[in-house]
């Protein structure tokens, strides 16, 4: 056994090991950050969980030695007897949660996406097979920027989708994360809620529809193209639709919300109308949202549908800034708009040719 001491020789770090797990520039004399911290998904999650726990004493929180990183600092302060830090042992976190759920407790377990890989067996055998109501929050889903290749959270949608009994959802913004947490507490099923690192994209909506199991939300109506997006990519989808509108292309934007169960009815109806669909996700295109829609088109035998999925390829994504990586893999608004325009030009050319004949 090796006992490590973070920040050895620097007293401020020794006394605040969680805070100095990873830091922005800080004053070496005081230890205070020089960067003003803005709201992020982890913070919003933690604050909402405290509010829910005040109303429901059955709610507990479990962390695998990432209290600060997953937003549970305030929860520990408010409910020390309902907070469990089990150390760097994600497998045990899920097994412990399963045992608690079996006894009527509502365990909430936020773990980084890439670290959930360690507990995949426990998610399947201890939670899903027994259909136990454990709320598994997948923090740092999608790209994590400069945390590096080992921390990229691009695989979770695909590997969780394969597991029976799981309900899988992803919020488009902070408000929807709060709504999904509130919904999950009442669902009495195993739940996955995935959300990215950092702040929210600015979605353009008048109101958030109530969260209903397996129900998507149509944010923009259109006749030429269906855009199905999930999580942080919904804001990007709305921006793309706005750009396309200025170019005479009428796009319908669907916030999938759930990848399992999928809102097949809403999506099929839209695809039948537009016969042209793209999917946008911040995960691998192998097995994620794009694959789900691809399977739906084949299962429903939808004819003459143009289809393209935007996501990350079947490879491990290297270290780099999120914006740079999105550009490399064609996930910027510019890249996607250019693709749609080219497809639209082909359709116009084909129609014109038929008219001339």
């Amino acid at each position: 056994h090796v006992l490590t001491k973070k920040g050895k020789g620097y007293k401020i770090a020794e006394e605040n090991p969680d805070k100095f797990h990873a830091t922005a520039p800080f004053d070496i004399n005081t230890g205070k950050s020089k960067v003003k911290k803005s709201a992020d998904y982890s913070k919003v999650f933690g604050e909402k969980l405290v509010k829910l726990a005040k109303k429901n004493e059955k709610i507990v929180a479990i962390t695998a030695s990432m209290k600060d990183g997953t937003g549970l600092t305030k929860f520990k302060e408010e409910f020390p007897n309902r907070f469990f830090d089990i150390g760097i042992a994600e497998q045990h976190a899920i097994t412990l949660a399963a045992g608690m759920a079996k006894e009527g407790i509502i365990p909430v377990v936020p773990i980084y996406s890439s670290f959930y890989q360690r507990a995949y067996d426990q998610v399947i055998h201890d939670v899903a097979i027994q259909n136990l109501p454990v709320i598994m929050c997948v923090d740092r889903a999608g790209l994590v920027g400069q945390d590096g290749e080992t921390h990229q959270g691009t695989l979770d949608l695909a590997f969780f989708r394969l597991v029976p009994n799981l309900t899988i959802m992803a919020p488009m913004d902070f408000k929807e994360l709060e709504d999904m947490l509130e919904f999950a507490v009442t669902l009495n099923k195993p739940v996955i809620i995935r959300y990215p690192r950092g702040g929210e994209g600015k979605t353009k909506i008048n109101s958030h529809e109530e969260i209903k199991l397996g129900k998507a939300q149509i944010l923009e109506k259109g006749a030429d193209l269906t855009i199905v997006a999930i999580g942080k990519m919904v804001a990007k989808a709305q921006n793309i639709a706005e750009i396309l509108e200025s170019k005479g292309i009428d796009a319908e934007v669907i916030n999938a919300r759930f990848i399992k169960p999928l809102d097949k009815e809403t999506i099929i109806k839209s695809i039948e109308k537009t016969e042209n669909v793209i999917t946008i996700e911040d995960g691998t295109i192998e097995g994620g949202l794009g694959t789900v829609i691809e399977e739906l088109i084949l299962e429903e035998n939808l004819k003459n549908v143009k289809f393209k999925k935007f996501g990350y390829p079947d490879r491990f994504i290297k270290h780099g800034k999120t914006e740079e990586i999105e550009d490399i893999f064609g996930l910027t608004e510019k890249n996607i708009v250019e693709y749609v325009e080219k497809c639209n030009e082909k359709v116009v050319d084909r129609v014109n040719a038929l008219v001339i004949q």
Side-chain angles (χ1 to χ4, degrees):
H1 295 272
V2 177
L3 183 63
T4 62
K5 194 170 186 67
K6 193 181 296 291
K8 178 65 176 173
Y10 178 48
K11 190 169 184 293
I12 296 172
E14 288 181 4
E15 293 173 347
N16 299 276
D18 284 353
K19 181 180 177 182
F20 283 86
H21 179 74
T23 67
F26 62 93
D27 186 316
I28 197 166
N29 294 315
T30 64
K32 291 184 178 179
S33 176
K34 294 182 178 180
V35 179
K36 186 178 180 181
K37 187 173 175 60
S38 56
D40 60 26
Y41 275 96
S42 301
K43 186 172 186 290
V44 170
F45 157 77
E47 289 176 350
K48 181 63 176 180
L49 190 62
V50 167
K51 291 177 183 176
L52 292 172
K54 286 179 179 178
K55 298 177 184 176
N56 189 338
E57 63 182 15
K58 291 183 178 181
I59 293 174
V60 304
I62 301 172
T63 183
S65 199
M66 291 299 290
K67 168 176 61 71
D68 291 345
T70 59
L72 290 177
T73 303
K74 189 174 179 182
F75 190 98
K76 180 185 179 182
E77 294 170 357
E78 294 272 352
F79 311 104
N81 295 327
R82 291 156 63 184
F83 172 81
F84 303 89
D85 187 341
I86 50 78
I88 305 174
E90 288 80 5
Q91 301 92 330
H92 176 54
I94 297 301
T95 300
L96 174 63
M100 288 177 165
K102 191 78 175 170
E103 295 302 312
I105 296 169
I106 303 173
V108 182
V109 194
I111 297 174
Y112 288 7
S113 172
S114 59
F115 299 164
Y116 253 112
Q117 293 159 187
R118 303 171 183 175
Y120 192 53
D121 178 63
Q122 286 72 24
V123 171
I124 295 171
H125 283 269
D126 297 338
V127 176
I129 286 180
Q130 300 182 86
N131 205 22
L132 293 171
V134 177
I135 301 171
M136 294 167 281
C137 294
V138 184
D139 199 329
R140 304 307 199 269
L143 292 190
V144 294
Q146 298 184 83
D147 271 359
E149 185 175 1
T150 57
H151 284 49
Q152 304 285 27
T154 57
L155 305 180
D156 59 88
L157 274 181
F159 67 62
F160 280 132
R161 189 176 75 87
L162 303 174
V163 183
N165 289 340
L166 294 186
T167 294
I168 306 171
M169 48 187 163
M172 64 178 170
D173 57 19
F174 292 163
K175 174 66 168 64
E176 198 160 77
L177 171 58
E178 293 175 333
D179 292 347
M180 286 181 174
L181 272 170
E182 198 157 342
F183 172 74
V185 168
T186 64
L187 193 57
N188 201 34
K189 293 176 180 288
V191 175
I192 299 286
I193 306 176
R194 77 180 310 257
Y195 44 89
R197 180 184 189 183
E200 62 182 348
K202 295 303 176 186
T203 48
K204 307 173 185 72
I205 59 172
N206 294 322
S207 63
H208 289 74
E209 289 182 2
E210 181 185 353
I211 303 291
K212 295 180 180 178
L213 183 62
K215 186 64 180 172
Q217 181 178 5
I218 298 176
L219 300 178
E220 311 284 347
K221 290 188 177 294
D224 301 326
L225 170 70
T226 299
I227 306 176
V228 185
I230 194 164
K232 67 175 283 188
M233 292 305 194
V234 173
K236 188 186 292 286
Q238 285 190 297
N239 292 337
I240 289 166
E242 192 173 329
I243 295 168
L244 290 173
E245 184 180 15
S246 69
K247 298 174 180 292
I249 300 172
D250 191 18
E252 184 151 289
V253 178
I254 299 176
N255 170 20
R257 283 179 158 181
F258 293 83
I259 195 171
K260 188 175 186 177
L262 185 72
D263 188 348
K264 294 183 179 181
E265 183 181 348
T266 296
I267 294 169
I268 289 170
K269 188 175 179 181
S270 180
I271 294 174
E272 286 177 335
K273 175 175 59 175
T274 65
E275 296 184 337
N276 188 6
V277 57
I278 65 172
T279 60
I280 312 175
E281 60 194 302
D282 58 336
T284 176
I285 57 174
E286 302 292 333
L289 175 67
T291 299
V292 171
I293 303 304
E294 194 170 26
E295 291 170 352
L296 182 64
I297 291 168
L298 291 171
E299 287 169 5
E300 297 296 323
N301 199 26
L302 301 178
K303 303 291 187 182
N304 304 315
V305 176
K306 295 189 296 297
F307 174 69
K308 172 73 173 175
K309 49 188 177 182
F310 289 91
Y312 296 104
D314 184 22
R315 68 177 73 169
F316 293 108
I317 308 301
K318 301 292 185 183
H319 171 107
K321 291 182 179 178
T322 299
E323 300 78 19
E324 294 171 345
I325 295 172
E326 286 184 349
D327 189 39
I328 289 169
F329 295 113
L331 267 171
T332 64
E333 292 167 15
K334 180 176 179 290
N335 297 140
I336 297 172
V337 167
E338 285 177 355
Y339 166 82
V340 174
E341 281 189 291
K342 285 179 183 177
C343 282
N344 200 59
E345 285 170 7
K346 290 176 184 176
V347 172
V348 172
D349 290 344
R350 192 161 62 242
V351 170
N352 288 340
L354 288 171
V355 171
I356 292 169
Q357 288 174 3

